[in-house]
PDB file of all heavy atoms in Angstrom:
ATOM      1  N   LYS A  23       4.590   4.821  23.062  1.00  0.00           N
ATOM      2  CA  LYS A  23       5.807   4.123  23.492  1.00  0.00           C
ATOM      3  C   LYS A  23       6.856   4.162  22.363  1.00  0.00           C
ATOM      4  O   LYS A  23       6.997   3.256  21.562  1.00  0.00           O
ATOM      5  CB  LYS A  23       5.509   2.701  23.824  1.00  0.00           C
ATOM      6  CG  LYS A  23       4.809   2.537  25.217  1.00  0.00           C
ATOM      7  CD  LYS A  23       4.729   1.077  25.615  1.00  0.00           C
ATOM      8  CE  LYS A  23       4.201   0.908  27.051  1.00  0.00           C
ATOM      9  NZ  LYS A  23       4.249  -0.480  27.455  1.00  0.00           N
ATOM     10  N   ARG A  59      26.716  21.424   1.648  1.00  0.00           N
ATOM     11  CA  ARG A  59      26.924  20.837   0.299  1.00  0.00           C
ATOM     12  C   ARG A  59      25.682  20.938  -0.548  1.00  0.00           C
ATOM     13  O   ARG A  59      24.550  20.959  -0.037  1.00  0.00           O
ATOM     14  CB  ARG A  59      27.298  19.335   0.465  1.00  0.00           C
ATOM     15  CG  ARG A  59      28.607  19.171   1.298  1.00  0.00           C
ATOM     16  CD  ARG A  59      28.819  17.728   1.573  1.00  0.00           C
ATOM     17  NE  ARG A  59      29.098  16.934   0.373  1.00  0.00           N
ATOM     18  CZ  ARG A  59      29.038  15.660   0.337  1.00  0.00           C
ATOM     19  NH1 ARG A  59      28.710  14.971   1.376  1.00  0.00           N
ATOM     20  NH2 ARG A  59      29.339  15.062  -0.786  1.00  0.00           N
ATOM     21  N   ASN A  85      24.843   1.671   1.720  1.00  0.00           N
ATOM     22  CA  ASN A  85      26.108   1.173   1.212  1.00  0.00           C
ATOM     23  C   ASN A  85      26.510  -0.187   1.767  1.00  0.00           C
ATOM     24  O   ASN A  85      26.184  -0.514   2.903  1.00  0.00           O
ATOM     25  CB  ASN A  85      27.252   2.165   1.490  1.00  0.00           C
ATOM     26  CG  ASN A  85      27.055   3.507   0.729  1.00  0.00           C
ATOM     27  OD1 ASN A  85      26.563   3.520  -0.387  1.00  0.00           O
ATOM     28  ND2 ASN A  85      27.414   4.604   1.410  1.00  0.00           N
ATOM     29  N   CYS A 133      11.124  -1.368  15.520  1.00  0.00           N
ATOM     30  CA  CYS A 133      12.210  -0.953  16.382  1.00  0.00           C
ATOM     31  C   CYS A 133      12.623  -2.198  17.219  1.00  0.00           C
ATOM     32  O   CYS A 133      11.776  -2.890  17.828  1.00  0.00           O
ATOM     33  CB  CYS A 133      11.805   0.128  17.325  1.00  0.00           C
ATOM     34  SG  CYS A 133      13.093   0.664  18.461  1.00  0.00           S
TER      35      CYS A 133
END
Side-chain angles (χ1 to χ4, degrees):
K23 283 190 174 184
R59 302 171 65 195
N85 293 325
C133 179

